[in-house]
Amino acid sequence: VFQHHPQIYYLGKIYKSQHARQCLSAEIYDFLTPLLWTTNEQYNRELSNKFLKDKLLPRVEPDQMILGSWEGLGQQGGESFLKSMIRLKDVFGQCKLLITIRNPITRLPSLYLQHLRGNQKQLADKFVTFEKWLSNQEAKLGGLKQIFDYRTYIELAINTLGSKNVGVFLYEQFDSEP
């Protein structure tokens, strides 16, 4: 939906993108990496602001908004998520965040099916049972709290971006009423 909407300049997650993290381009990935994915490392605010001003904003039409969609941000750990929100606000200024929460009973099977389809490159290409996959996820994440700790992520976002800039929606509602 986002990628084809005329009022959105979509940074990704783009279906079948050839670029890392399914970004619009390699340079968008390079721009977003320190803001979203390598928050344990320092980032160069001036360089990020320069890219935004000189490269990204000239591509965006006056009636468009910039949007990115990476559901993995909501399971990267609270500290990393907070740094992402701070860095996004630092570079973009006031921005908005849409958080979609999902019923755990349907989310786990969905994540497993994504794994089976090969959407998660970090996992093996061989078949793994649901039980083994779940055990691997728990070991990798130190439990499943990161996947289902919606409250922490919502509070961090509201405290960083402001309550008027954070929307919380139910996936099941989007799914049943597109």
Side-chain angles (χ1 to χ4, degrees):
V1 171
F2 296 139
Q3 144 179 18
H4 300 290
H5 196 290
Q7 293 176 306
I8 292 175
Y9 187 87
Y10 193 51
L11 303 178
K13 188 171 187 179
I14 295 175
Y15 182 67
K16 294 191 177 183
S17 171
Q18 62 187 8
H19 306 291
R21 301 234 184 210
Q22 296 176 301
C23 288
L24 177 64
S25 67
E27 66 181 352
I28 294 293
Y29 171 75
D30 292 341
F31 166 66
L32 292 174
T33 293
L35 303 179
L36 301 176
W37 301 301
T38 58
T39 58
N40 59 331
E41 300 172 13
Q42 293 291 328
Y43 85 107
N44 185 326
R45 178 183 181 200
E46 291 77 28
L47 189 62
S48 294
N49 283 329
K50 183 170 176 39
F51 180 86
L52 176 67
K53 181 181 170 216
D54 296 346
K55 299 260 181 148
L56 185 56
L57 289 178
R59 300 174 189 166
V60 180
E61 298 295 326
D63 64 338
Q64 288 183 312
M65 69 172 62
I66 298 170
L67 187 134
S69 174
W70 289 277
E71 57 274 356
L73 296 175
Q75 61 188 45
Q76 64 186 12
E79 185 178 330
S80 183
F81 179 78
L82 177 59
K83 285 182 182 178
S84 291
M85 295 300 100
I86 292 169
R87 289 179 181 189
L88 287 171
K89 187 175 178 181
D90 193 38
V91 172
F92 284 96
Q94 194 56 57
C95 50
K96 295 184 179 191
L97 179 69
L98 183 146
I99 298 175
T100 305
I101 59 176
R102 186 168 185 177
N103 182 332
I105 293 171
T106 60
R107 185 163 186 214
L108 280 176
S110 175
L111 291 172
Y112 174 65
L113 291 173
Q114 288 180 45
H115 163 72
L116 289 180
R117 285 196 312 257
N119 292 356
Q120 298 177 6
K121 293 178 185 176
Q122 72 272 17
L123 300 175
D125 290 331
K126 61 184 178 180
F127 176 80
V128 176
T129 66
F130 178 77
E131 291 78 12
K132 180 67 176 165
W133 171 84
L134 186 59
S135 175
N136 290 343
Q137 290 297 297
E138 289 179 290
K140 180 177 122 186
L141 299 171
L144 296 177
K145 184 177 181 190
Q146 278 183 235
I147 295 178
F148 299 111
D149 193 13
Y150 299 128
R151 179 183 173 151
T152 297
Y153 292 103
I154 292 166
E155 287 178 347
L156 290 170
I158 288 172
N159 291 338
T160 306
L161 304 175
S163 62
K164 293 183 190 252
N165 296 311
V166 178
V168 180
F169 302 89
L170 298 173
Y171 170 83
E172 288 79 10
Q173 190 173 10
F174 279 148
D175 193 40
S176 67
E177 301 172 33

